């Protein structure tokens, strides 16, 4: 079985978000996939069998992952295994990807609307910053802070964030050179900080589209590796676009 490491949401190797992509020759057990994901020790490992796509962190299976979907599509297009639109069957429904003339890839994902909530107890202390607004999506808690600088310099208490009743915590603010910026912390599912999170932008897109009055926006995720995500809000869907780079390919022998 072929195994790849791909840096997603970047055009430069060793930036963006690395994901492992395993192309399965035949069905395998959930335990085996979890073992491979734990061995790879990246925020996500994607497993593709025919048109079925699943994602595992080093600790658990997740229901939606943007950067590993982008990485999988990149492998298919760059190896010539696919051309034109590709549909993946996933736990979040059918996800359609397509290669752009520029070489980038666009993905059609479900929008995750954000509902305002009161500030959860202990969150401000765990983040080390005062929220401007707090909301919840189907997957994550979203926290808006006062500035891009505050988001960039944030040093949260990661163990304390495990108690948040959500997959992860999206921290965001208006951007200076992009429309908005963000960071994503998900220690509850084994990812202390994710470098670039496509699925978080399923909530960031409708949130900032409402705030800024435009459907098409550009977001920058301010992790150490960093990455750029182009988003277009289309009602109950979000179109995510980005680039990817293959940094490793090999054969899985077990």
């Amino acid at each position: 079985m072929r195994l790849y490491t791909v840096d997603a949401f970047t055009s430069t190797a060793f930036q963006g978000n690395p994901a492992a992509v395993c192309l399965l020759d035949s069905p395998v057990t959930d335990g085996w996939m979890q073992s491979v994901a734990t061995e790879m020790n990246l925020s996500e490992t994607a497993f593709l069998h025919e048109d079925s796509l699943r994602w595992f962190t080093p600790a658990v299976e997740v229901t939606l992952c943007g950067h590993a979907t982008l990485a999988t599509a990149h492998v298919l297009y760059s190896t010539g295994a696919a051309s034109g639109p590709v549909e993946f069957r996933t736990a979040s429904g059918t996800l359609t990807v397509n290669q752009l003339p520029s070489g980038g890839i666009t993905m059609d994902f479900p929008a995750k609307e954000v509902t305002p909530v009161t500030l959860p107890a202990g969150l401000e202390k765990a983040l080390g910053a005062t929220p401007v607004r707090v909301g919840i999506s189907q997957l994550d808690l979203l926290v808006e802070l006062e500035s891009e600088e505050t988001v960039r310099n944030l040093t949260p208490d990661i163990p304390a964030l495990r108690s948040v009743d959500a997959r992860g915590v999206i921290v965001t603010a208006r951007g200076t050179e992009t429309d908005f910026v963000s960071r994503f912390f998900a220690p509850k599912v084994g990812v202390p900080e994710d470098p670039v999170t496509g699925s978080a932008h399923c909530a960031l897109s409708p949130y900032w589209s409402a705030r800024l009055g435009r459907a098409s926006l550009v977001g920058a995720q301010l992790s150490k590796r960093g990455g750029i995500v182009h988003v277009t809000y289309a009602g109950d869907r979000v179109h995510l676009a980005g680039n990817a780079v293959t940094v490793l390919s090999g054969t899985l022998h077990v």
Side-chain angles (χ1 to χ4, degrees):
M1 287 178 283
R2 299 297 297 169
L3 185 67
Y4 301 81
T5 300
V6 176
D7 290 341
F9 293 116
T10 181
S11 299
T12 306
F14 313 124
Q15 296 182 18
N17 199 354
V21 177
C22 183
L23 303 183
L24 298 172
D25 295 331
S26 59
V28 295
T29 67
D30 291 4
W32 184 88
M33 287 187 282
Q34 186 63 73
S35 294
V36 172
T38 303
E39 180 81 7
M40 296 306 295
N41 199 32
L42 297 173
S43 59
E44 302 286 351
T45 298
F47 296 88
L48 180 67
H49 179 241
E50 297 176 346
D51 64 347
S52 175
L53 181 63
R54 295 172 69 179
W55 313 277
F56 288 76
T57 77
V60 298
E61 182 176 9
V62 297
T63 58
L64 185 65
C65 180
H67 85 278
T69 302
L70 176 59
T72 304
H74 170 78
V75 167
L76 296 180
Y77 289 129
S78 63
T79 60
S83 61
V86 175
E87 292 185 347
F88 296 126
R89 290 187 298 108
T90 79
S92 292
T94 299
L95 305 180
T96 303
V97 301
N98 204 357
Q99 190 169 38
L100 300 169
S102 64
I105 293 170
T106 183
M107 305 182 291
D108 178 26
F109 271 39
K112 304 296 183 183
E113 299 290 344
V114 178
T115 302
V117 295
T118 57
L119 180 65
L123 180 62
E124 183 173 350
K125 182 179 179 181
L127 289 176
T130 301
V132 175
R133 294 177 181 84
V134 182
I136 189 81
S137 74
Q138 182 183 9
L139 297 174
D140 305 307
L141 193 72
L142 186 146
V143 180
E144 182 183 346
L145 300 180
E146 62 179 355
S147 69
E148 176 176 321
E149 182 180 7
T150 305
V151 174
R152 188 185 302 275
N153 295 331
L154 203 66
T155 55
D157 182 343
I158 296 298
L161 290 181
R162 290 196 184 98
S163 64
V164 174
D165 187 20
R167 179 189 66 164
V169 179
I170 306 166
V171 181
T172 187
R174 290 196 63 165
T176 55
E177 297 183 0
T178 56
D179 294 302
F180 62 88
V181 299
S182 67
R183 290 172 69 186
F184 183 71
F185 306 96
K188 193 170 186 177
V189 295
V191 183
E193 180 172 5
D194 197 33
V196 193
T197 315
S199 60
H201 285 75
C202 293
L204 288 162
S205 176
Y207 181 82
W208 283 110
S209 289
R211 295 289 311 283
L212 302 178
R214 288 182 286 116
S216 295
L217 304 169
V218 180
Q221 195 152 331
L222 302 181
S223 63
K224 289 183 179 180
R225 293 175 64 102
I228 298 294
V229 184
H230 297 260
V231 297
T232 301
Y233 179 45
D236 62 346
R237 309 296 292 180
V238 172
H239 301 149
L240 310 174
N243 294 291
V245 182
T246 300
V247 295
L248 179 68
S249 65
T251 303
L252 191 60
H253 291 286
V254 293

